[in-house]
Structure formats: C-alpha cells, structure tokens
Amino acid sequence: MTLRRFILALSLSLLLPGVGSVMAEGDSTYKLASGDIIRISVFGEPDLSFDEIRLNDAGTFSYPFLGDVRAGGKTAAEIERTLTERLKGNYLVDPRVSVSILKYREFFISGEVKTPGGYAFQPGLTLRRAIALAGGLTERASTSRITIIRDQDPQRRPEQATLDTQILPGDTINIDQGFF
C-alpha cells in the first residue's frame, strides 16, 4: 500500500468512524428476505457458483442438486452453513461456500416528499438521508408526524420516527402534512 493510499484510508476512517462497523455488522446480522440479491461462490466449482440470485416472493431460491433453498429470515452466514451441509458428502467432499449480499431490497417513502417511491437501501441509512434520496420534503411536510412500518413487523404497526431513525430494507415510510 502506498503512503498516499494509507493516508487516504486513515483520513476516511477518522472522518467517518462508524461506517465500516455498520456495514460489517449489517452483513453479519441482516436477515434476508424477498427481493434481496445474493452471490454464491463455491471454491473450485464454477457450476455451483452464481453471480446474482434474487430471492423470490417466498424468500427462497433454486439451487442445483438441492432444489429450493429457504433463505428468508436467515443471515448470509446461515445460508453458507446450510449449503455447505447439504452439498457435503453426496455432491462434494469439502465444499467451501461463500454467500454475500449484493443488493438489499428497496425501502419505500410516501407522503410529503418531492419524489415518493422505492429506493435502493444502503447500510447506515437514516430517515434524514432517505428523505434526501426522495428529493427532500415538500413545503407542507411535517417533521414530527412521520411513521415507519417495518418490513420485519408481522403486525405491520406504524411507529413514530425522527429524522435520525435508522431505515432498514423493506421499510415503508410515510410523511404526513403539517398543520399550519
């Protein structure tokens, strides 16, 4: 590594102290669901490696020899273990499987933003940044009447949010009008 790259990396780590840990932490605990895109690599087995696999509506994907693999509600590490266990013995002697998340499912924002719709999730995303992605607030928007329905919540209950609330993939955000 050159001195210039070292200084750049050090500067970035000082300016953005939580970014690396958020991404690593998000990948290790993040539960997959419908719409996520993953990459599967099996060392030395190009026929069992795939650059892009999108989880279907049921949170599963089809895999050679194994059929449908349930990925919804599991982490990438859990999928690695599942594939390793199921491939070992019958198909491969010592499979080395790697699963990574290429693209998270979208989050959705509606109400008093300039461009409502679905947007690509990024690790470390806050409501403030989500609003910026949607073109900002309209002149009628309320910053205190914001609700989020979490994709992970089976009862789909709206919860109050602040501009610093963390956004997760699949979340649905609604920004109400303020009273004047």
Side-chain angles (χ1 to χ4, degrees):
M1 178 183 283
T2 66
L3 181 59
R4 177 178 274 176
R5 282 189 174 171
F6 175 75
I7 291 172
L8 178 62
L10 181 62
S11 300
L12 285 174
S13 68
L14 292 173
L15 290 173
L16 306 169
V19 173
S21 64
V22 169
M23 292 178 82
E25 198 174 283
D27 286 346
S28 65
T29 61
Y30 176 73
K31 304 284 187 188
L32 294 165
S34 173
D36 288 328
I37 299 175
I38 60 174
R39 172 183 293 142
I40 298 175
S41 300
V42 181
F43 181 73
E45 299 292 335
D47 293 341
L48 296 176
S49 298
F50 298 92
D51 289 335
E52 283 190 17
I53 296 176
R54 180 181 297 271
L55 274 57
N56 65 21
D57 289 344
T60 64
F61 62 91
S62 183
Y63 196 77
F65 305 118
L66 305 180
D68 285 342
V69 176
R70 178 156 174 66
K74 295 181 180 179
T75 66
E78 290 171 327
I79 300 302
E80 283 179 10
R81 284 192 295 277
T82 298
L83 292 175
T84 299
E85 290 168 5
R86 291 180 64 187
L87 288 171
K88 193 172 192 167
N90 292 335
Y91 303 106
L92 300 172
V93 175
D94 186 23
R96 301 195 188 210
V97 179
S98 172
V99 175
S100 55
I101 302 167
L102 291 181
K103 189 174 178 186
Y104 298 91
R105 61 193 178 278
E106 294 181 327
F107 71 92
F108 301 90
I109 187 166
S110 64
E112 295 299 317
V113 290
K114 293 184 180 169
T115 314
Y119 291 90
F121 172 79
Q122 304 153 11
L125 188 69
T126 63
L127 181 55
R128 185 181 316 273
R129 290 181 179 159
I131 291 170
L133 287 172
L137 296 171
T138 66
E139 60 278 351
R140 294 183 183 186
S142 169
T143 56
S144 61
R145 297 182 58 215
I146 300 172
T147 56
I148 295 179
I149 297 175
R150 299 287 187 186
D151 192 40
Q152 306 162 336
D153 181 7
Q155 296 168 340
R156 313 290 292 163
R157 291 171 297 198
E159 59 184 60
Q160 284 298 121
T162 67
L163 294 176
D164 294 320
T165 299
Q166 291 288 312
I167 303 302
L168 302 173
D171 283 354
T172 301
I173 303 160
N174 185 56
I175 301 174
D176 287 336
Q177 285 185 0
F179 293 109
F180 296 100

